[in-house]
Amino acid sequence: MAKKLLFVVNEAIFFLSHRLPLAEAARRKGYDVHIATTEGTGVQKIKDLKFTHHLLPLSRSGRNPIKEIVLIISILNLFRKLQPDLVHLVTIKPVLYGGIAARLTKINGVISAISGMGFLFVERAGGLKLYLLRNMVLFLYRFAMGHPNQKVIFQNSSDANTLVTSGYVKKNKTCLIRGSGVTLENYHFVPEPSGIPVVVMASRLLSDKGVNEFVDAARILRSRSVNARFMLIGTPDPGNPESVTESLVNEWQAEGVIEYLGFQSDIANIFSKSHIITLPSYREGLPKVLIEAAACGRAVVTTDTPGCRDAIEPNVTGLLVPPRDAKALAEAINCLINDTRLRERMGKAGRSLAEREFGINKVVTAHLDIYNELAMKKNI
């Protein structure tokens, strides 16, 4: 009988963009693959791809305790009913609640994917409320990471060290896989276009992603009459307390400081028409957008923070700047605007990095090895 593999992910659209190749590879290896997400964009696509889909009342905000209890009970009921051999938990709530449910229902094997520590762990003053919430989450991590047959996948070593040194996960359970990978054949390395340099930021529109610093850097460079276009790609995320508002984005566009493109499905095409990619985030797991930039052969400006610095080779494929520093960001972008040869050299080095480290086949193989290891063991 085929072993059941259940992915639990916040949103279907995230599963499709970050985990679909892995699910397809697991199915080819003989796993009976199931996916559990909340309702929304992408659910029908999952069904059209002939995966079994399960609905869960997931929401990222977590502000309603009753809804959180309902979610935990829903996950427990799904695990009891489906009885999967392996569960692959992706993003914070599935990792926490799914890890707890897996222990209570005696699931044989658990894969917990830490794709970033979230806004609670960004270094900043937050007051008593944030302090208490952070410590409650860490307490839940300790229990969720206590399954006897478990692997915890980190995308960067800083996040792994945070939880290992704090005693919330044992080092022998950890594994480092740098990001979710890209299908390199879909990201073509083409020469830069001629014309005015185009600087692109593509992400969810969150303060923690450095959206405000990107806009401020654009303002600084425009005030110096630097000839460049600044494009912002993405949408606000109302479920996240760090989301910028749609009205603010409209103000930026009306001001003329940025060009707002909203959501774009063909990011490779956008990058092929650009010159510089930036992500001034405060903290990441390992951002896929920087992997995509490397695969497209574009120079990068990002922050010297966990996850971001792990996605580039500093001064080889891109430049690092301090987080929350719009002036430093502007200077680094301006450096690349003014130096075509440096941009092109970094772009070529980025493509080589992507081919060495970020190809989807390498990432998929590493995950399948983990599935096989856990499936061969029995939960004791």
Side-chain angles (χ1 to χ4, degrees):
M1 180 180 293
K3 292 187 180 296
K4 289 181 184 177
L5 167 63
L6 172 64
F7 287 86
V8 184
V9 188
N10 271 341
E11 295 179 338
I13 195 72
F14 182 86
F15 166 81
L16 292 170
S17 64
H18 287 71
R19 293 295 185 275
L20 178 59
L22 176 55
E24 291 176 327
R27 182 162 61 182
R28 289 193 296 270
K29 286 292 184 179
Y31 287 93
D32 176 17
V33 180
H34 296 244
I35 297 98
T37 72
T38 190
E39 283 189 288
T41 305
V43 169
Q44 188 56 50
K45 175 69 172 178
I46 289 173
K47 294 177 180 178
D48 291 344
L49 291 169
K50 307 302 181 184
F51 289 107
T52 304
H53 183 268
H54 307 269
L55 284 176
L56 287 173
L58 278 157
S59 78
R60 290 192 307 279
S61 63
R63 297 174 182 174
N64 188 322
I66 295 176
K67 289 184 178 180
E68 298 305 292
I69 292 170
V70 169
L71 172 57
I72 294 172
I73 293 172
S74 298
I75 295 174
L76 281 165
N77 288 339
L78 175 61
F79 285 9
R80 288 193 180 108
K81 179 181 177 181
L82 186 62
Q83 295 184 335
D85 298 280
L86 299 173
V87 292
H88 189 153
L89 311 171
V90 184
T91 63
I92 291 177
K93 277 195 185 180
V95 164
L96 291 178
Y97 299 164
I100 292 168
R103 293 191 67 181
L104 296 177
T105 56
K106 301 187 184 303
I107 299 298
N108 183 67
V110 177
I111 303 95
S112 301
I114 309 296
S115 54
M117 299 295 287
F119 77 95
L120 288 174
F121 297 90
V122 173
E123 295 177 6
R124 61 181 176 186
L128 180 60
K129 183 177 179 180
L130 185 62
Y131 172 81
L132 293 174
L133 183 57
R134 182 185 291 117
N135 281 276
M136 182 185 74
V137 170
L138 286 172
F139 173 79
L140 294 176
Y141 263 119
R142 188 190 297 274
F143 189 82
M145 303 299 181
H147 192 283
N149 189 29
Q150 182 176 25
K151 279 291 182 182
V152 184
I153 300 173
F154 292 92
Q155 296 189 346
N156 66 71
S157 57
S158 295
D159 288 348
N161 291 337
T162 295
L163 292 184
V164 169
T165 57
S166 300
Y168 295 103
V169 60
K170 294 181 179 178
K171 186 174 178 59
N172 63 2
K173 286 187 176 182
T174 65
C175 176
L176 183 66
I177 299 178
R178 295 177 68 183
S180 52
V182 293
T183 303
L184 292 169
E185 294 78 10
N186 296 338
Y187 296 83
H188 301 293
F189 178 26
V190 298
E192 287 186 357
S194 58
I196 299 173
V198 176
V199 184
V200 175
M201 176 177 178
S203 77
R204 285 183 295 155
L205 302 188
L206 308 177
S207 297
D208 284 351
K209 297 291 184 182
V211 176
N212 295 295
E213 286 80 3
F214 173 69
V215 174
D216 286 343
R219 281 199 188 100
I220 291 169
L221 294 177
R222 286 188 181 280
S223 72
R224 300 179 188 172
S225 299
V226 172
N227 193 20
R229 297 169 63 191
F230 297 86
M231 295 184 177
L232 181 61
I233 297 173
T235 56
D237 184 2
N240 190 305
E242 293 297 312
S243 180
V244 302
T245 63
E246 187 173 349
S247 62
L248 182 56
V249 176
N250 291 336
E251 287 179 20
W252 291 335
Q253 179 151 270
E255 180 186 346
V257 66
I258 54 102
E259 299 172 45
Y260 177 52
L261 277 63
F263 173 78
Q264 297 290 320
S265 59
D266 190 355
I267 203 70
N269 180 52
I270 297 291
F271 285 0
S272 71
K273 299 174 181 177
S274 69
H275 300 75
I276 301 165
I277 312 303
T278 184
L279 182 69
S281 179
Y282 301 171
R283 186 174 187 130
E284 295 284 333
L286 196 138
K288 187 174 182 180
V289 68
L290 295 185
I291 297 174
E292 292 171 324
C296 290
R298 291 298 179 262
V300 164
V301 178
T302 190
T303 44
D304 190 7
T305 56
C308 292
R309 59 175 170 249
D310 298 274
I312 75 166
E313 292 179 343
N315 300 318
V316 177
T317 68
L319 301 176
L320 292 177
V321 298
R324 302 182 183 86
D325 191 335
K327 290 183 180 179
L329 179 63
E331 292 296 337
I333 291 173
N334 196 37
C335 173
L336 292 180
I337 287 174
N338 291 328
D339 195 333
T340 302
R341 289 185 178 180
L342 177 61
R343 287 199 315 265
E344 292 177 345
R345 187 165 66 247
M346 286 185 166
K348 290 178 182 178
R351 177 67 189 193
S352 296
L353 173 64
E355 291 173 351
R356 290 195 313 272
E357 297 292 337
F358 301 136
I360 192 65
N361 292 335
K362 180 175 182 176
V363 171
V364 165
T365 298
H367 280 87
L368 292 177
D369 288 344
I370 291 171
Y371 292 168
N372 184 59
E373 176 188 347
L374 297 184
M376 295 294 289
K377 296 179 181 178
K378 288 297 181 182
N379 179 7
I380 55 174

